[in-house]
Amino acid sequence: MSRQAVGAPLSRVEGRRKVTGRAKYAADHPTGGVVHAFVVGSTVGRGRITGIDARAALALSGVLKVISHLNAPKLAYRPNPSSNNPEGGRRLRVFQDDKVLFHGQPVAVVVATTPEAAQHGASLVEVRYDAEKPSTNLTGAPAHDPETYARGDADQAMQSAAVRLEMTYRTARNHHNAAEPHATIARWDGDRLTVWDKTQWVVGTQRELAAVFGIKRDAVRVISPFVGGGFGGGLRAWPHVTIAALAAREVGRPVKLVLTRKQLYSGTGYRPAYEYRLRLGSDRRGRLTAMVHDIKAETSSYEDFQESVLTAGQMLYSMPHVRQAYRTVPLDVNTPLYMRGPGHATAVYVIESAMDELAHELGIDPIELRRRNDPSEDESNGTPFSTRRLRECCTVGAREFGWDRRAPEPRSTRDGDWLIGMGMAAGVHRTLRNAAQARVLLDARGTALVEAATSDMGPGTYTSMTQVAADALGLTVRDVEFRLGDSAMPPTPAHGGSQTMASVGSAVQDACDKLRRQAIELAVGDARSPLHGVDAADVAVSGGRLHVRDDPARGETYQQLLARDNRPHLRSLGSFTPAESRFSLFAYGATFAEVAVDHRLGLVRVRRMLGVYDAGRIISPKLADSQALGGMVGGIGTALLEQTVTDHHDGRIVNANLADYLVPVNADVPDLRAIYLDGEDREASPIGVKGLGEVVHVGVAPAIANAVFHATGRRIRELPITAEALL
């Protein structure tokens, strides 16, 4: 097989469609007879609906129907095995009763012939409430029973530690704020439902709709070929998806529902706010002896959302004594969801900030402190690491970033009015793999069509899968087409958690390997083929041509093989099912940041950043850079800009727009660079990859926070770091 596509810095194969407007996103699909829906959201944060007056809306020209709990049919709401909560069947049941559980909850929907009529009609619907004061403040609210972990005796070890630090960190709620708003088009054809949706998991949305409407899964088809940014926000079917399908069934016409930017803040998920108390003990040489983690995170009153916030504290560094307690706090809010680097990003911010504090306390270089506590195995379960090159990430990063030029003392470097600081942080993210399938069809022209029901929210799935398929089939990239985003295609896991390349890529590799071997067997077994009688192991494929490995002149093309056998195509179904591994599987990174802080105004500017990653085999370097630089930009937002602000009197989000909820813009994005350590991880996946999209975000916020301390001598333990906190 040729190896010309994988590892090449190719541009996106779907790029031209995107920049010319030919890529169809959820709200773009032409559907005959479509009408429009607009959601009416609750204006109270808790209580009951006592009345709904829709007469003015129904009198408006173009309005077809107003649906609420007063006239909506009862839905099945069967348990969904794909649900993101342990209860499976618990979720917000739209229009099924008069309860209000959070501000902005859908309480009605207006369906009209135009989007303008639907939105205006929604403004005319009068809803009366028996309102109660909502509980929306994480501080002081009662919590669920904790999830716990322990090894050794952390409390005793803390008491006897030579050095003890105790810190409380707070992180703000963050919203995904992707460029494309969530949108759904729903159409019923008899008892069959077709949905065009912004989703990172067409199979999950298919299962959710089947569960809600009480129909068979194969009666639902979900289509999502392009996703305009997700960051985790599309990993479940939100209430508006059910509303669109319900409205379409009620009016007997296809319905399009597009959430406004404001509605996204209450209609979809977010990274939950955290209060994270950490106690750390070590000896005078910086060897960690104990860590105690007490964690609280917000969740909704109707679902208990949890994420992997405990993992990093169990395995990132070597220490004999660890105790963790993770409590979710049910509030009158909508349910959180995974956001880039979920759980890991929050925990690593706390741990890496604390490590920097310990390094300063002991007068040890921060990188050296991490080296002294590098474990030889995963101490949470005693398993060896498949690869763990964090030390190398730190060494390469220090050299390339010029860490040796860093003056150890805080507030010792200036550039005019600006205080200059350098900081670093380690990053880690568990390597996820799940079962996936893919199919490939090679036609008589010698071109291949590969399909899988995965998604592409931006990392370049179209391109990377094309690269894997091209090399496995011995074709050029232009002779391979990869299609995705349709639940009618072979099933795949959710497009999140950095698992797509390892899972779906391995299934694509398997499908294409099977087809290539099928073609070779046909050729060597055909007396008319120039390859007849050759050992199949001695046949290679390159440029669409099968040939003897040591005699390239002896061979034939795929076209010649299929034409002689009178075959219109060859077809193969591939699969990947991860085996139980005896190794601990993680991706690692080291992030370095240089910041400037205006000593009079408290303004923070990131000057440059470098990330070095141990992420296994890199399929597409150009796409990897896109992921890494995007992760750094997102981390800048987490560290310095992003926070969702709630009015605790009524539960209203007061900055539900991109004017007041700040995200990084071009002026905030400095010199960014990424380096990937050469290598692969065959324990993680057959193709040697172990995921990149999450780990590139995980260590960014603590690297910036540590750099801010180095610049100013002030330790801020709350994200985002604001000018007010530094003054």
Side-chain angles (χ1 to χ4, degrees):
M1 288 181 294
S2 62
R3 285 287 182 230
Q4 298 178 355
V6 170
L10 302 184
S11 296
R12 296 172 185 262
V13 298
E14 83 286 3
R16 184 174 295 275
R17 278 179 287 174
K18 289 181 174 177
V19 299
T20 58
R22 291 187 292 116
K24 300 297 183 186
Y25 294 87
D28 297 334
H29 294 276
T31 307
V34 70
V35 294
H36 302 268
F38 196 90
V39 170
V40 179
S42 166
T43 56
V44 302
R46 179 186 174 93
R48 289 186 177 273
I49 302 168
T50 59
I52 296 178
D53 187 348
R55 288 174 295 180
L58 291 168
L60 187 67
S61 176
V63 171
L64 303 176
K65 193 160 188 174
V66 178
I67 305 170
S68 69
H69 76 283
L70 298 177
N71 59 353
K74 294 301 178 185
L75 301 178
Y77 281 104
R78 296 185 312 213
N80 179 0
S82 301
S83 176
N84 286 309
N85 66 79
E87 290 85 357
R90 294 189 66 192
R91 77 272 273 182
L92 184 69
R93 302 187 176 213
V94 292
F95 308 156
Q96 300 298 289
D97 56 43
D98 62 357
K99 295 178 182 178
V100 175
L101 302 175
F102 59 88
H103 196 288
Q105 173 186 321
V107 295
V109 64
V110 177
V111 186
T113 54
T114 67
E116 294 81 6
Q119 184 167 3
H120 184 40
S123 71
L124 299 177
V125 176
E126 295 184 6
V127 185
R128 297 185 299 277
Y129 304 95
D130 180 8
E132 304 172 27
K133 181 173 175 54
S135 172
T136 58
N137 194 339
L138 177 62
T139 301
H144 287 307
D145 291 338
E147 178 184 348
T148 61
Y149 168 87
R151 67 171 180 260
D153 188 340
D155 291 318
Q156 177 61 40
M158 283 296 303
Q159 291 180 10
S160 59
V163 180
R164 296 190 297 270
L165 298 179
E166 182 174 326
M167 302 140 289
T168 298
Y169 298 86
R170 292 179 174 84
T171 62
R173 181 193 293 190
N174 288 175
H175 271 83
H176 300 82
N177 274 312
E180 180 196 13
H182 283 259
T184 303
I185 302 174
R187 184 187 72 203
W188 290 89
D189 299 291
D191 293 330
R192 302 189 67 83
L193 172 62
T194 302
V195 168
W196 292 266
D197 185 44
K198 176 183 176 172
T199 177
Q200 293 170 234
W201 193 16
V202 292
V203 175
T205 299
Q206 177 194 42
R207 293 172 180 170
E208 174 71 3
L209 289 170
V212 168
F213 288 95
I215 57 180
K216 293 182 178 179
R217 189 185 306 169
D218 61 8
V220 181
R221 183 182 181 189
V222 180
I223 301 171
S224 183
F226 292 97
V227 178
F231 316 110
L235 285 172
R236 70 176 295 179
W238 295 108
H240 72 273
V241 182
T242 295
I243 292 171
L246 173 63
R249 193 169 69 175
E250 289 296 291
V251 301
R253 295 176 66 175
V255 167
K256 178 188 292 188
L257 195 164
V258 182
L259 295 184
T260 66
R261 181 64 58 178
K262 180 178 180 179
Q263 288 174 331
L264 293 174
Y265 287 78
S266 56
T268 64
Y270 50 88
R271 191 193 308 277
Y274 276 87
E275 289 183 359
Y276 197 133
R277 178 172 173 245
L278 184 71
R279 291 186 289 153
L280 179 155
S282 80
D283 64 20
R284 289 290 176 186
R285 298 187 63 253
R287 293 299 303 269
L288 297 173
T289 55
M291 275 194 188
V292 178
H293 308 248
D294 288 302
I295 306 164
K296 291 202 303 182
E298 62 180 335
T299 189
S300 68
S301 62
Y302 55 93
E303 290 181 289
D304 187 16
F305 172 79
Q306 299 182 20
E307 56 185 0
S308 299
V309 73
L310 299 180
T311 304
Q314 297 170 12
M315 50 67 61
L316 185 53
Y317 295 114
S318 176
M319 72 193 81
H321 306 282
V322 177
R323 181 168 64 77
Q324 296 175 310
Y326 170 28
R327 296 173 175 86
T328 52
V329 180
L331 301 172
D332 297 317
V333 298
N334 62 312
T335 303
L337 192 65
Y338 310 112
M339 187 171 174
R340 198 169 194 177
H344 293 77
T346 300
V348 166
Y349 159 66
V350 171
I351 294 167
E352 289 300 282
S353 296
M355 289 291 283
D356 199 72
E357 292 203 36
L358 179 63
H360 178 70
E361 176 76 15
L362 297 173
I364 299 174
D365 181 84
I367 295 177
E368 176 59 27
L369 178 65
R370 287 161 174 82
R371 289 186 179 129
R372 292 182 187 182
N373 292 283
D374 195 43
S376 58
E377 65 176 12
D378 185 338
E379 294 179 353
S380 71
N381 53 28
T383 58
F385 296 108
S386 58
T387 71
R388 182 185 165 104
R389 301 167 69 188
L390 181 56
R391 293 170 65 99
E392 188 176 350
C393 289
C394 292
T395 299
V396 172
R399 182 185 69 237
E400 296 296 318
F401 199 69
W403 186 258
D404 60 341
R405 299 194 298 272
R406 173 183 181 268
E409 282 302 310
R411 210 178 174 90
S412 59
T413 304
R414 297 178 70 107
D415 182 2
D417 291 333
W418 297 88
L419 301 169
I420 309 302
M422 293 171 61
M424 62 82 57
V428 65
H429 193 274
R430 186 180 296 279
T431 295
L432 300 179
R433 299 98 32 87
N434 275 292
Q437 293 183 2
R439 63 173 171 246
V440 57
L441 185 145
L442 180 76
D443 63 26
R445 297 171 300 167
T447 60
L449 172 64
V450 186
E451 293 180 320
T454 187
S455 301
D456 189 347
M457 62 171 164
T461 311
Y462 280 104
T463 305
S464 56
M465 299 301 168
T466 299
Q467 290 175 272
V468 170
D471 280 355
L473 293 170
L475 294 172
T476 62
V477 167
R478 65 176 176 271
D479 289 325
V480 176
E481 180 183 3
F482 182 73
R483 293 180 185 171
L484 55 74
D486 190 333
S487 62
M489 295 174 180
T492 61
H495 181 53
S498 295
Q499 65 181 321
T500 298
M501 199 67 239
S503 305
V504 183
S506 295
V508 168
Q509 179 78 46
D510 183 58
C512 295
D513 284 347
K514 287 177 178 175
L515 190 141
R516 187 189 71 253
R517 290 194 293 265
Q518 181 183 349
I520 291 172
E521 292 294 341
L522 282 175
V524 301
D526 187 344
R528 298 168 295 173
S529 171
L531 295 172
H532 179 250
V534 176
D535 188 331
D538 294 331
V539 178
V541 185
S542 59
R545 186 172 178 276
L546 297 78
H547 60 85
V548 177
R549 200 177 304 275
D550 296 329
D551 185 7
R554 183 181 174 184
E556 63 180 335
T557 64
Y558 281 126
Q559 297 99 309
Q560 291 169 329
L561 173 65
L562 269 63
R564 186 177 60 251
D565 285 356
N566 198 28
R567 290 174 178 258
H569 59 258
L570 297 177
R571 186 191 301 269
S572 179
L573 179 68
S575 64
F576 168 68
T577 302
E580 189 72 27
S581 178
R582 62 183 182 87
F583 290 90
S584 178
L585 307 174
F586 288 90
Y588 299 90
T591 304
F592 294 78
E594 180 180 286
V595 304
V597 182
D598 189 306
H599 77 98
R600 294 175 301 177
L601 302 177
L603 299 177
V604 181
R605 294 288 182 264
V606 178
R607 287 192 164 189
R608 60 190 180 105
M609 293 186 71
L610 169 68
V612 184
Y613 309 105
D614 166 24
R617 185 181 180 202
I618 301 300
I619 299 296
S620 180
K622 184 178 285 191
L623 296 177
D625 267 359
S626 178
Q627 284 291 281
L629 304 190
M632 292 181 199
V633 172
I636 292 171
T638 300
L640 301 176
L641 299 170
E642 297 187 50
Q643 58 178 326
T644 305
V645 180
T646 302
D647 184 338
H648 297 306
H649 294 288
D650 61 5
R652 178 175 59 95
I653 296 172
V654 300
N655 62 335
N657 57 73
L658 288 180
D660 300 309
Y661 182 101
L662 303 180
V663 297
V665 297
N666 284 345
D668 300 306
V669 179
D671 174 17
L672 307 178
R673 183 186 173 202
I675 297 173
Y676 317 97
L677 301 183
D678 289 336
E680 58 183 34
D681 190 341
R682 296 287 174 174
E683 290 294 331
S685 66
I687 58 176
V689 306
K690 58 177 182 176
L692 181 70
E694 312 287 352
V695 73
V696 294
H697 177 92
V698 168
V700 178
I704 293 172
N706 294 338
V708 168
F709 169 75
H710 182 239
T712 64
R714 296 193 62 183
R715 188 74 68 177
I716 308 300
R717 300 194 183 102
E718 186 167 342
L719 295 184
I721 299 170
T722 63
E724 293 85 348
L726 287 168
L727 291 177

